[in-house]
Amino acid sequence: DVKVTQSSRYLVKRTGEKVFLECVQDMDHENMFWYRQDPGLGLRLIYFSYDVKMKEKGDIPEGYSVSREKKERFSLILESASTNQTSMYLCASSVHLGQSGYTFGSGTRLTVV
Amino acid sequence: QQQVKQSPQSLIVQKGGISIINCAYENTAFDYFPWYQQFPGKGPALLIAIRPDVSEKKEGRFTISFNKSAKQFSLHIMDSQPGDSATYFCAASTGFQKLVFGTGTRLLVSP
């Protein structure tokens, strides 16, 4: 069963902390994505990567960075967590950027206090 | 032009009824239109997808209707069941561009 695994289901962090969210896929997909999901705002793309070490900004990259050192792993980094980054974070991967389904992880609910 | 507008934001349907969720787009280059289903505590999962060379695609109780001239597509859930209660997202893409998602519809099917 193909999977996208997010390392943490729930996280509570303090304002100003550096936060790492990890995502691993076992499908050998080229493309990986980080979204945040907030009520009424749907899925908003933070960053995506179409190859190892390659990344592109999504719609809301401010306050975030990413790292993809290996094909199967895509990390989202909150450089200095703020309360407005409290959200559900979803990782996804896909074979093609736009012509195939995305496989999502179960999400990490991050609370910044 | 890259937006996909989804409606309604929420929907309550009685068991056995038909649930209808609509999406509209502006970019005529879009050529792939998937729908995702998300249960509470889970990530979205691909439900059904259509390409613009057909006007309808059916998988079980789920049907996508596609109207190219109106630039609209919709998801119909026939004989809706309480287990269908979830959030549904439409999306669209073109060529090598990433998916653009709608804002989601929260469906509640009452017993």
Side-chain angles (χ1 to χ4, degrees):
Chain A
D1 193 19
V2 293
K3 261 198 276 193
V4 174
T5 303
Q6 294 184 230
S7 55
S8 303
R9 191 75 183 90
Y10 298 96
L11 274 180
V12 180
K13 297 292 182 181
R14 295 194 183 278
T15 302
E17 275 194 78
K18 190 169 185 175
V19 181
F20 293 84
L21 303 183
E22 306 289 343
C23 175
V24 176
Q25 53 100 357
D26 63 1
M27 296 165 282
D28 201 33
H29 285 172
E30 301 291 332
N31 305 289
M32 297 188 74
F33 310 83
W34 275 107
Y35 290 87
R36 65 176 282 178
Q37 182 175 14
D38 301 288
L41 298 177
L43 302 170
R44 293 184 291 168
L45 181 64
I46 304 171
Y47 267 96
F48 70 101
S49 168
Y50 52 90
D51 200 352
V52 175
K53 297 190 186 292
M54 306 304 289
K55 61 187 179 185
E56 283 201 21
K57 293 179 180 179
D59 302 316
I60 50 164
E62 296 78 19
Y64 303 94
S65 63
V66 290
S67 172
R68 193 170 181 197
E69 296 296 319
K70 293 185 178 181
K71 191 176 185 180
E72 68 271 17
R73 186 179 297 270
F74 192 34
S75 303
L76 180 69
I77 304 156
L78 286 68
E79 297 291 343
S80 177
S82 63
T83 55
N84 63 14
Q85 292 178 310
T86 292
S87 186
M88 170 68 85
Y89 290 88
L90 290 162
C91 176
S93 71
S94 73
V95 174
H96 303 296
L97 203 56
Q99 294 295 298
S100 63
Y102 290 8
T103 302
F104 284 84
S106 293
T108 296
R109 183 161 295 280
L110 173 68
T111 302
V112 182
V113 298
Chain B
Q1 198 180 18
Q2 283 294 100
Q3 281 185 325
V4 177
K5 294 183 178 179
Q6 184 171 347
S7 63
Q9 191 171 9
S10 62
L11 181 61
I12 301 175
V13 173
Q14 286 200 333
K15 180 181 174 182
I18 302 173
S19 304
I20 302 173
I21 304 169
N22 300 298
C23 284
Y25 62 96
E26 289 297 322
N27 187 347
T28 55
F30 283 150
D31 59 1
Y32 176 68
F33 302 88
W35 284 88
Y36 286 78
Q37 180 187 53
Q38 183 183 28
F39 292 109
K42 301 289 187 183
L46 179 65
L47 181 63
I48 186 172
I50 198 169
R51 298 189 188 274
D53 52 342
V54 296
S55 60
E56 186 175 281
K57 183 173 181 179
K58 186 175 181 179
E59 289 185 6
R61 295 183 294 108
F62 298 90
T63 300
I64 299 179
S65 297
F66 183 77
N67 187 329
K68 192 172 183 178
S69 60
K71 291 184 285 186
Q72 294 176 349
F73 59 110
S74 59
L75 177 69
H76 292 63
I77 306 174
M78 313 300 287
D79 186 26
S80 298
Q81 299 296 313
D84 297 329
S85 298
T87 299
Y88 292 82
F89 293 96
C90 63
S93 71
T94 171
F96 295 100
Q97 300 299 310
K98 60 191 181 299
L99 286 176
V100 177
F101 284 92
T103 50
T105 296
R106 179 176 279 185
L107 171 65
L108 176 64
V109 181
S110 60

